[in-house]
Amino acid sequence: MTRSRAAGVDTGASTNPLPGFTLTMGFTVVYLTLIVLVPIAALAIKALGLSWKELWELATNERAMAAYKLSLGASLAAAAINAVFGSLLAWVLACYRFPGRRLLDGLIDFPFALPTAVAGLTLANLFSDHGWLGQFLTPLGIKGAFSRLGVVIALTFVGLPFSVRTLQPEIQMLDESVQEAALCLGAGRWRRFITVTAPLLLPTMLTGFGLSFARALGEYGSIVFISGNLPFQTEIAPTLIVMRLDQYDYTGAISVALVLMIFSFALLLTLNTLQGWADKFHQP
């Protein structure tokens, strides 16, 4: 009897190693329902109040399609830039020690703390025709503010920390013995990087790329000032939603918001798939 009770206790402990699972799980479900599921359900119910024909016309008119293309294109460009230069920053911060490293490491998180509207206003002033940087770029035909390039610049700024902070811990946890084994087998520096290091870091780089892309896709505050919000030119989808709300066009705003929500779900599914793929590289 004692043995069976002990076995029962062990079985329960292995199933629920921490106390209070039922209470914490219930709190988690309720919290996520109120914060995430209820707003999503409200948007879906509002969208179902429209006919399919009306919803399709509002969501795919010429202005909306132009906004989708700019949002997706600029977000992809910003995420690609962050994937390259963010990876270089992560490598430098993780592998080298130099004066000012802590300051540089802290500046990476600056876009997290800075209000996005402040970031947009600052970038607009920097890249305007008479700004500190714009006065040198404008004579070269490079227009940073009130252009599509300005949208990419702002989205790159807000998405940089996601690429760096995702990859930096992974670089720090690289197994040096694998590098030493490759060195003993005669592999040079570049060959070790291409054949050993890069395959280990690629899944995490793709995850950082996805997070940066997701952050850029829903960005609004930093775009308002630097883009100029010109329809068919520099207007992104979140800005179009706000403008339609200002005009009391709630059905038009809901249709665009529904399309962005579908994009977000697809991106979330892709990120989870990438995360599952990345976990295979850490299994013994």
Side-chain angles (χ1 to χ4, degrees):
M1 178 66 70
T2 304
R3 184 175 180 180
S4 63
R5 288 181 179 177
V9 171
D10 291 339
T11 302
S14 61
T15 304
N16 298 323
L18 295 177
F21 171 77
T22 303
L23 179 62
T24 54
M25 186 62 182
F27 173 80
T28 300
V29 172
V30 172
Y31 183 79
L32 288 177
T33 300
L34 294 176
I35 300 300
V36 179
L37 295 182
V38 170
I40 292 176
L43 177 61
I45 292 173
K46 283 286 187 179
L48 291 176
L50 303 173
S51 65
W52 286 107
K53 181 179 180 181
E54 183 181 8
L55 181 62
W56 178 262
E57 290 177 352
L58 290 173
T60 60
N61 59 52
E62 187 178 358
R63 184 174 179 180
M65 293 301 295
Y68 299 146
K69 290 179 181 179
L70 179 59
S71 293
L72 292 173
S75 298
L76 284 172
I81 294 171
N82 284 329
V84 176
F85 294 99
S87 299
L88 292 176
L89 276 172
W91 184 271
V92 170
L93 292 173
C95 298
Y96 301 100
R97 297 295 179 268
F98 52 89
R101 176 183 172 276
R102 290 184 179 274
L103 176 61
L104 180 60
D105 193 27
L107 288 176
I108 298 297
D109 296 325
F110 191 65
F112 282 147
L114 188 68
T116 54
V118 176
L121 182 61
T122 303
L123 292 173
N125 288 329
L126 282 175
F127 288 96
S128 64
D129 293 343
H130 302 287
W132 288 357
L133 299 178
Q135 60 180 333
F136 302 107
L137 297 176
T138 301
L140 300 177
I142 303 175
K143 189 173 179 60
F146 315 119
S147 65
R148 295 186 177 186
L149 177 59
V151 176
V152 175
I153 292 172
L155 296 181
T156 303
F157 175 81
V158 299
L160 176 63
F162 292 91
S163 295
V164 177
R165 295 310 185 202
T166 302
L167 188 60
Q168 187 176 353
E170 190 71 17
I171 297 175
Q172 293 173 340
M173 291 187 298
L174 286 176
D175 190 357
E176 295 183 0
S177 62
V178 178
Q179 300 284 339
E180 294 174 355
L183 179 62
C184 292
L185 293 174
R189 179 179 300 178
W190 283 106
R191 186 174 182 182
R192 292 201 309 270
F193 178 80
I194 294 174
T195 60
V196 178
T197 305
L200 292 175
L201 298 181
L202 181 60
T204 309
M205 288 178 61
L206 292 177
T207 301
F209 171 87
L211 291 174
S212 180
F213 176 74
R215 176 68 180 86
L217 187 62
E219 177 59 21
Y220 167 74
S222 63
I223 307 298
V224 176
F225 298 102
I226 195 172
S227 68
N229 306 318
L230 300 176
F232 306 103
Q233 298 182 35
T234 61
E235 184 180 61
I236 60 173
T239 304
L240 179 59
I241 294 175
V242 174
M243 288 187 174
R244 286 184 172 179
L245 289 175
D246 290 339
Q247 298 168 359
Y248 302 100
D249 182 10
Y250 298 115
T251 56
I254 289 172
S255 62
V256 177
L258 182 63
V259 173
L260 287 185
M261 186 176 71
I262 294 173
F263 283 148
S264 300
F265 271 116
L267 185 58
L268 179 63
L269 179 62
T270 304
L271 286 176
N272 288 334
T273 304
L274 286 175
Q275 190 63 45
W277 180 48
D279 290 340
K280 296 180 181 179
F281 289 83
H282 300 283
Q283 294 177 358

